[in-house]
Amino acid sequence: MVSTKAPEDAYTAEPFLPERGGLPALRRAAAECRGCPLHRDATQTVFGAGTANARVMLVGEQPGDQEDRQGKPFVGPAGRLLDRALAEAGIDPADAYVTNAVKHFKFTRAEPRKRRIHKAPTLREMTACGPWLAAELAVVEPELIVLLGASAGKALLGSSFRVGEARGAVLEREIHGRAEKLVATVHPSSVLRAQDDADRKAAYEGLVSDLKVAARALS
Ligand code: URA
Ligand code: SF4
């Protein structure tokens, strides 16, 4: 019997991965990914940005509204805040490969034609998209991984990951058979969501302080 199951129902990007090639081959293949239903409503795949010899890999959650439109990670408000925090911590953007746990924007619309509101990816979607992140890690082989928020942590270290417990220290974990060094911190969007100026300042300083731990681990 002919299967009528759509590829996205399998919830894995695996069949879309290229057999060989570096970042350009991965990027081209990811553009065609239908490994989960998120590609349907999003504009395009937002693959990682940076060079294969980057020393540090920064992992966010998933593209937001601006990233979905422009096709590049961290180019919206969270990205501007991240750039500022990286500069303050002394991490050279040229040393960084920036990517996300999930490569398509997930959103809801409150009303027709209204602003698209980000929705957190499920563990199932992060697992489906995981092969892309694994492939990026295998090519870039960063000296250090920076986990930006809970989703990045859960995607790479499992669902029991908690930012509050893990942040600000160098962790050593085996991921896909390779010993990795990691530093976890909050997601830059959480700084933007702070209730008032005092909370925002404290959250931003916490982010910078964790990124300084990453910078020291690199030097
Ligand atoms: N938030 C993320 O996690 N990633 C982006 O690329 C942008 C915002
Ligand atoms: Fe593929 Fe990931 Fe997009 Fe799902 S979110 S379609 S797994 S690239």
Side-chain angles (χ1 to χ4, degrees), residues 106-142:
K106 181 179 179 185
F107 59 94
T108 48
R109 285 182 206 273
E111 293 162 50
R113 289 184 301 280
K114 279 283 166 63
R115 198 165 68 86
R116 303 186 298 175
I117 299 159
H118 154 273
K119 267 182 86 178
T122 62
L123 206 53
R124 196 178 187 206
E125 288 153 353
M126 294 197 285
T127 304
C129 211
W132 294 118
L133 186 56
E136 289 172 298
L137 273 172
V139 171
V140 178
E141 295 190 309

Side-chain angles (χ1 to χ4, degrees), residues 7-215:
E8 40 273 69
D9 294 332
Y11 277 84
T12 176
E14 205 67 66
F16 296 92
L17 263 77
E19 279 175 19
R20 59 184 66 82
L23 291 175
L26 284 174
R27 180 186 309 280
R28 274 194 305 276
E32 306 300 324
C33 186
R34 290 171 293 144
C36 83
L38 290 186
H39 74 92
R40 288 190 185 134
D41 296 329
T43 308
Q44 58 192 320
T45 306
V46 179
F47 205 66
T51 70
N53 46 34
R55 299 183 62 202
V56 54
M57 183 178 286
L58 303 167
V59 184
E61 180 181 71
Q62 63 169 341
D65 177 78
Q66 284 301 313
E67 290 79 15
D68 174 74
R69 293 173 200 273
Q70 297 183 42
K72 296 191 203 98
F74 283 107
V75 291
R80 282 192 291 279
L81 187 130
L82 177 61
D83 289 347
R84 194 151 62 80
L86 286 171
E88 212 165 307
I91 296 178
D92 184 348
D95 280 341
Y97 182 90
V98 184
T99 192
N100 286 299
V102 169
K103 268 54 171 178
H104 274 107
F105 180 36
K106 181 179 179 185
F107 59 94
T108 48
R109 285 182 206 273
E111 293 162 50
R113 289 184 301 280
K114 279 283 166 63
R115 198 165 68 86
R116 303 186 298 175
I117 299 159
H118 154 273
K119 267 182 86 178
T122 62
L123 206 53
R124 196 178 187 206
E125 288 153 353
M126 294 197 285
T127 304
C129 211
W132 294 118
L133 186 56
E136 289 172 298
L137 273 172
V139 171
V140 178
E141 295 190 309
E143 291 165 45
L144 182 73
I145 300 168
V146 174
L147 302 168
L148 300 168
S151 292
K154 288 179 199 299
L156 282 176
L157 299 179
S159 59
S160 63
F161 174 87
R162 300 285 177 275
V163 179
E165 295 164 12
R167 69 182 297 181
V170 180
L171 312 172
E172 297 189 5
R173 297 281 187 279
E174 187 167 312
I175 300 174
H176 307 306
R178 221 177 78 100
E180 302 285 4
K181 275 203 290 180
L182 308 100
V183 171
T185 187
V186 294
H187 193 286
S189 296
S190 73
V191 178
L192 295 171
R193 281 195 307 267
Q195 291 299 318
D196 55 41
D197 286 352
D199 280 0
R200 197 169 305 109
K201 186 165 179 287
Y204 178 74
E205 281 167 5
L207 171 64
V208 171
S209 143
D210 294 342
L211 291 176
K212 282 183 178 166
V213 174

